[in-house]
């Protein structure tokens, strides 16, 4: 994706453009921000512009831009690992490439994705390059938290922090790619927390939609053992979806409170208005607030060391008792 086509992150893009137009950019930049926010996309857009030896526009057809899009630019080097960590061997391989001058333009760009996976030895090894980088070397890093890097690396790296997107920006990102009904999009926006990758994950996996249907089914018919089993199995196989279920429940109780205060037009689950009305009718505001607290307590439990299966059972009881 070209830098000019990227949505949102306006001040960051402005900063990147200033760096690109600078005759002597720094040697290390870290894109930091939540998982799936788009750090790799930004790093690639930045790298493409840094390496361009043409007019730096989206349609530039210089050798560097052309090969970059093909994934064969010799001046771009990405550290990829399928293991749980980035070991010192990968950084050493990169360093032996740093010794070779760029083929096309002024710079060579190295990209380390998920830099929090670098071992301490790998970070110390990288430090050697950061201490005395050849003038043409630029290292880009993506990292969830800048603080996860060693202080010695941080002091030599410019932190380019990415922020979450507004709902309007999220729409601008999602709508050209997927055709989604408006009420479902509202729900996706709410649950993706301003992180495009979360929204894409929700849309592509389809699991969130399925989980949500089962949960509403259970809220309506607590004795539906088939739905209980389905939620249980889905959560046993996909531990990362537990947050989604907690979020869905919070949204239901929040909607019930809204319903009680006649703010129907602000429901997140507007397509499930009838069920929300029904739950709101049979629960006091106090009870609904307690339920929200209970779900948050469970969230904390899952983050700490609660037995996972036990946690799921407690969660299901919470749903069935509404
Ligand atoms: Zn170019």
């Amino acid at each position: 994706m070209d830098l000019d086509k990227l949505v949102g992150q306006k001040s960051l893009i402005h900063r990147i453009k200033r760096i690109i137009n600078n005759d002597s950019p720094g040697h290390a930049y870290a894109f930091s921000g939540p998982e799936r926010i788009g750090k790799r996309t930004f790093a690639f857009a930045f790298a493409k512009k840094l390496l361009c030896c043409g007019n730096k526009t989206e349609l530039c057809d210089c050798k560097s831009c052309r090969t970059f899009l093909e994934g064969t630019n010799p001046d771009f080097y990405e550290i990829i690992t399928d293991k749980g960590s980035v070991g010192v061997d990968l950084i050493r391989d990169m360093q032996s490439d740093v010794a070779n001058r760029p083929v096309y333009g002024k710079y060579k760009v190295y990209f380390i994705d998920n830099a929090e996976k670098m071992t301490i030895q790998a970070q110390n090894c990288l430090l050697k390059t950061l201490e005395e980088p050849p003038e043409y070397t630029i290292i880009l890093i993506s990292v969830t938290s800048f603080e996860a890097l060693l202080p010695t690396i941080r002091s030599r790296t410019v932190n380019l922090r990415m922020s979450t997107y507004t709902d309007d920006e999220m729409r601008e990102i999602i709508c050209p790619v997927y055709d989604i009904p408006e009420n479902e999009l509202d729900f996706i926006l709410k649950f993706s927390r301003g992180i495009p990758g979360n929204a894409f994950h929700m849309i592509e996996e389809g699991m969130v939609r399925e989980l949500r249907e089962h949960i509403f089914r259970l809220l309506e018919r607590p004795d539906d053992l088939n739905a209980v089993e389905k939620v249980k199995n889905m959560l046993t196989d996909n531990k990362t979806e537990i947050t989604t279920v907690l979020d869905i429940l919070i949204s239901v109780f929040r909607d019930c409170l809204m319903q009680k205060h006649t703010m129907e037009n602000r429901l997140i689950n507007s397509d499930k208005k009838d069920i929300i009305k029904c739950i709101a009718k049979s629960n006091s505001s106090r009870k609904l607030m307690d339920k929200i607290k209970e779900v948050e307590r469970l969230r904390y439990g899952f983050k700490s060391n609660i037995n996972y299966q036990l946690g799921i059972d407690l969660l299901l009881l919470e749903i069935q008792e509404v």
Side-chain angles (χ1 to χ4, degrees), residues 1 8 12 16 21 24 38 84-85 87 102 119 143 169 173 188 196 198 207 210 215 218 230 233 235 260 304:
M1 179 82 75
L12 178 64
I16 293 176
N21 294 326
S24 52
S85 63
T119 61
V143 71
E169 289 166 349
I173 295 170
I188 288 168
N198 282 352
M207 200 186 300
E210 210 182 318
I215 287 171
L218 265 184
K230 278 197 174 131
N233 291 340
L235 289 178
K260 273 189 178 301
S304 340

Side-chain angles (χ1 to χ4, degrees), residues 67-79:
T67 51
F68 189 88
L69 292 174
E70 287 166 0
T72 56
N73 189 314
D75 296 330
F76 182 68
Y77 186 114
E78 183 181 11
I79 291 188

Side-chain angles (χ1 to χ4, degrees), residues 56-316:
K56 295 194 193 288
T57 62
E58 188 197 352
L59 299 172
C60 176
D61 194 35
C62 76
K63 228 178 197 172
S64 177
C65 287
R66 211 167 50 234
T67 51
F68 189 88
L69 292 174
E70 287 166 0
T72 56
N73 189 314
D75 296 330
F76 182 68
Y77 186 114
E78 183 181 11
I79 291 188
I80 303 170
T81 178
D82 51 6
K83 295 188 205 144
S85 63
V86 175
V88 70
D89 49 331
L90 290 176
I91 303 294
R92 285 207 189 105
D93 288 348
M94 179 196 106
Q95 278 165 335
S96 48
D97 187 83
V98 168
N100 306 320
R101 296 191 61 84
V103 178
Y104 296 144
K106 276 163 77 178
Y107 306 114
K108 285 188 81 166
V109 177
Y110 295 85
F111 175 54
I112 307 172
D113 204 5
N114 299 313
E116 61 273 8
K117 286 188 182 171
M118 275 195 288
T119 61
I120 299 288
Q121 291 92 323
Q123 292 200 47
N124 277 320
C125 186
L126 175 68
L127 189 60
K128 285 179 208 148
T129 307
L130 294 179
E131 278 167 344
E132 286 175 47
E135 84 280 10
Y136 51 79
T137 308
I138 299 175
I139 293 170
L140 305 184
I141 284 170
S142 93
V143 71
T144 323
S145 158
F146 192 59
E147 282 65 39
L149 302 169
L150 289 177
T152 40
I153 294 202
R154 292 206 300 264
S155 66
R156 290 169 175 83
T157 304
V158 178
N159 184 11
L160 301 173
R161 198 187 299 270
M162 294 187 69
S163 41
T164 50
Y165 291 82
T166 64
D167 280 359
D168 284 344
E169 289 166 349
M170 289 288 281
R171 279 172 195 275
E172 219 180 309
I173 295 170
I174 299 168
C175 293
V177 190
Y178 295 100
D179 185 18
I180 295 174
E182 189 59 26
N183 60 1
E184 202 169 306
L185 186 60
D186 275 350
F187 169 77
I188 288 168
L189 290 183
K190 168 68 192 163
F191 283 96
S192 46
R193 298 196 177 97
I195 298 174
N198 282 352
F200 289 139
H201 175 76
M202 282 172 74
I203 296 164
E204 283 158 17
E205 291 281 306
M207 200 186 300
V208 176
R209 213 173 306 165
E210 210 182 318
L211 269 173
R212 182 168 170 261
E213 287 307 321
H214 289 320
I215 287 171
F216 271 97
R217 170 84 187 149
L218 265 184
L219 287 166
E220 214 177 4
R221 295 274 316 276
D223 54 347
D224 187 339
L225 295 178
N226 190 27
V228 174
E229 270 316 293
K230 278 197 174 131
V231 175
K232 214 170 184 175
N233 291 340
M234 284 174 90
L235 289 178
T236 306
D237 297 341
N238 305 279
K239 291 192 176 178
T240 48
E241 299 301 338
I242 194 77
T243 334
T244 314
V245 175
L246 296 168
D247 286 346
I248 293 172
L249 274 183
I250 298 273
S251 79
V252 170
F253 299 139
R254 173 226 174 251
D255 277 358
C256 292
L257 285 167
M258 288 284 170
Q259 175 73 36
K260 273 189 178 301
H261 296 94
T262 57
M263 289 189 275
E264 264 188 37
N265 53 339
R266 296 183 57 192
L267 298 189
I268 298 167
N269 301 284
S270 51
D271 55 330
K272 306 282 186 191
K273 207 183 276 175
D274 292 342
I275 306 177
I276 299 286
K277 256 188 199 167
C278 186
I279 302 173
K281 216 172 161 185
S282 53
N283 287 279
S284 65
S285 294
R286 176 76 186 267
K287 178 110 185 279
L288 290 166
M289 303 273 272
D290 283 347
K291 291 213 157 283
I292 292 179
K293 276 186 210 154
E294 195 47 51
V295 177
E296 288 304 348
R297 248 197 299 276
L298 275 172
R299 192 195 296 278
Y300 180 77
F302 281 111
K303 272 187 195 155
S304 340
N305 50 6
I306 192 177
N307 174 295
Y308 187 75
Q309 288 302 332
L310 175 71
I312 295 180
D313 288 341
L314 289 173
L315 183 61
L316 283 165

